[in-house]
Structures are given as structure tokens and as C-alpha cells.
Amino acid sequence: DLKASEATERYPDFDPLKHDSLCMELKQLYVSATRARQHLWFFEECVEGAKPMLDVLNSSKELVRVTDTINDSEMIRSISRSSTKKEWAAAAHNLLARELYLEAKILFEKADDQKRSQFCEAMHEVRQGEDHITKNRKVALSAFKRAGEIFEKIELLEKAADAFWKAEEYALAADAFTRSNQHARAGEAYLKCGEYEKAFSQFCIVKDIENAFESLYAGMLYICL
């Protein structure tokens, strides 16, 4: 009877209202424990609460090492290993493919790849602009402009031009379009900012006669005979 009462006290009946959150935590523990490739660390401050699990872990001496302090430098040195730049880069590319730009930015920095880190920062600004364009236009335009400046800094002129266009910074967009040989887009941007002669020149490069003459007409750059 004594053993039965002890067992009942130690292993209570499942109560959905009390134990649902515990079940979720156990699922998360299972996922984290089964995804580790090399080393898995558990930290626990409540020694008494952790005693049943520590008993289990201590029974597996070959697989598990239990220490009672985080200052066990010998243990830390024996199992810790820094990721290589190649590993950081591979993880960063994976995050970039999933469009997790800020997370990828941090890992590219660890991989010492500043250009891709800045690219991720710019893409994050583009997303910020897109998210805010219908909510807060001023915030959106500022985000697009920051993206354009970063793209320009890392010499991605086509992306810089598109970002400046979205930011309604038409003079900056026109310059970036010109330098990236997108002359028709450059002409449109020059028209937007009132640089009619430059717009005319850009349209002439791509033999867009209709828009070239529209630029002359808009800027009154013609002589009536």
C-alpha cells in the first residue's frame, strides 16, 4: 500500500487542464533532442525537480556527462566547437532562401561575407516598405530609400534603381537606371523629376521616338517654325 501511494503521488493521473502545456513542452524537448547532430546541452537550475531525469542520465555514463556547475571548463572544452565560416555561410544561405533576411544577415556577418549581409539588410528594408505602403506611406518610402542606398553601395544597380523608384526618389532612380543601362526606365524617371532633356537623350538611345518627342514637348524643348 505504501508503494502504491508513493507511486500515485509521484506519477499523477493525466489531467488535460493541468498537463496540456507540459505535453507541448515535452514535444519541443523531443524535437530539440532528436535534431542535435553532435552535442546536446541541458541546463537546469532546480536540482530537486530535475532529480528523476538526472538519475536516468547518470545511468548512461557512456553517452551522457552530468556536471553540477557551468564553470566546469574541462567539460566545456571537451564538447564545445565553434562553427566554421563555411558552416555559417551554408546556414545563412538556407535562411536567405526562406526569406528570413535579418537572421541570414547575422549569419553572413559571422561568415565574414559583408556583401551578402548588406544584401539581406536591403531586402529586409524592401519588405518593410512593402508591408507599410498602405499603412504608413512615409515609413514605406524611407525604407525603400534605405534599401536603394544599400543596394547602390554593394553595386547592385538594378535593384537600387527599383528601390529608388518605389521610394519616389526619381532623380536617384534615373541615375541608377542609366548606369545599369536601363535607358527606357531612366527616361521615365527623368520625366518624373522634370529632367526633360536627359529623358529625351535616354529615349533616343533605345530609339523610343514617341517618348523622346513627349519629353521635348513636356519640357518645351522645341522651336516653332
Side-chain angles (χ1 to χ4, degrees):
D1 292 340
L2 180 61
K3 289 183 178 180
S5 63
E6 288 178 351
T8 302
E9 182 178 351
R10 188 169 183 181
Y11 305 108
D13 293 333
F14 179 76
D15 182 344
L17 295 177
K18 292 181 179 179
H19 302 128
D20 269 356
S21 60
L22 177 60
C23 286
M24 181 58 68
E25 290 178 2
L26 288 172
K27 289 178 183 177
Q28 293 171 346
L29 175 62
Y30 169 78
V31 171
S32 62
T34 56
R35 297 303 185 273
R37 293 186 178 183
Q38 294 188 26
H39 302 301
L40 178 64
W41 294 33
F42 290 103
F43 296 90
E44 179 57 67
E45 295 180 349
C46 180
V47 177
E48 185 62 30
K51 189 176 185 307
M53 180 59 72
L54 289 174
D55 291 342
V56 173
L57 295 176
N58 276 317
S59 67
S60 306
K61 296 292 186 182
E62 295 182 2
L63 296 176
V64 179
R65 176 172 178 176
V66 179
T67 180
D68 61 358
T69 173
I70 198 169
N71 296 317
D72 188 340
S73 57
E74 180 187 350
M75 183 272 291
I76 293 174
R77 281 198 306 270
S78 69
I79 67 175
S80 63
R81 182 185 72 84
S82 298
S83 297
T84 65
K85 289 182 179 181
K86 185 176 180 180
E87 289 169 333
W88 284 124
H93 279 292
N94 180 270
L95 292 172
L96 178 57
R98 293 158 56 193
E99 299 183 355
L100 298 173
Y101 298 121
L102 286 184
E103 293 85 346
K105 174 183 181 296
I106 294 170
L107 297 196
F108 277 126
E109 287 175 356
K110 291 180 178 292
D112 201 23
D113 190 337
Q114 296 305 315
K115 184 172 182 178
R116 286 191 173 90
S117 176
Q118 290 175 305
F119 172 81
C120 290
E121 182 180 359
M123 290 301 297
H124 172 71
E125 293 293 346
V126 170
R127 174 175 286 173
Q128 288 290 99
E130 292 170 346
D131 288 346
H132 284 86
I133 196 64
T134 58
K135 305 171 188 174
N136 190 324
R137 187 172 182 78
K138 184 177 180 180
V139 170
L141 296 182
S142 295
F144 285 133
K145 184 177 180 181
R146 286 194 298 272
E149 291 169 345
I150 298 170
F151 282 134
E152 188 172 39
K153 184 177 179 181
I154 58 177
E155 300 180 341
L156 294 177
L157 294 178
E158 291 186 10
K159 285 191 172 293
D162 286 333
F164 285 136
W165 178 274
K166 291 177 180 178
E168 299 180 3
E169 294 286 344
Y170 297 117
L172 294 174
D175 179 65
F177 280 131
T178 300
R179 287 186 289 147
S180 60
N181 297 317
Q182 298 182 79
H183 300 293
R185 295 291 306 278
E188 293 173 15
Y190 279 127
L191 273 178
K192 285 278 192 180
C193 61
E195 294 281 357
Y196 302 112
E197 189 171 350
K198 291 181 179 178
F200 172 77
S201 298
Q202 293 299 312
F203 286 128
C204 284
I205 291 173
V206 293
K207 296 181 173 58
D208 186 343
I209 305 303
E210 182 178 349
N211 279 316
F213 277 104
E214 182 182 335
S215 303
L216 292 177
Y217 182 78
M220 294 187 291
L221 304 174
Y222 56 87
I223 299 174
C224 293
L225 299 176

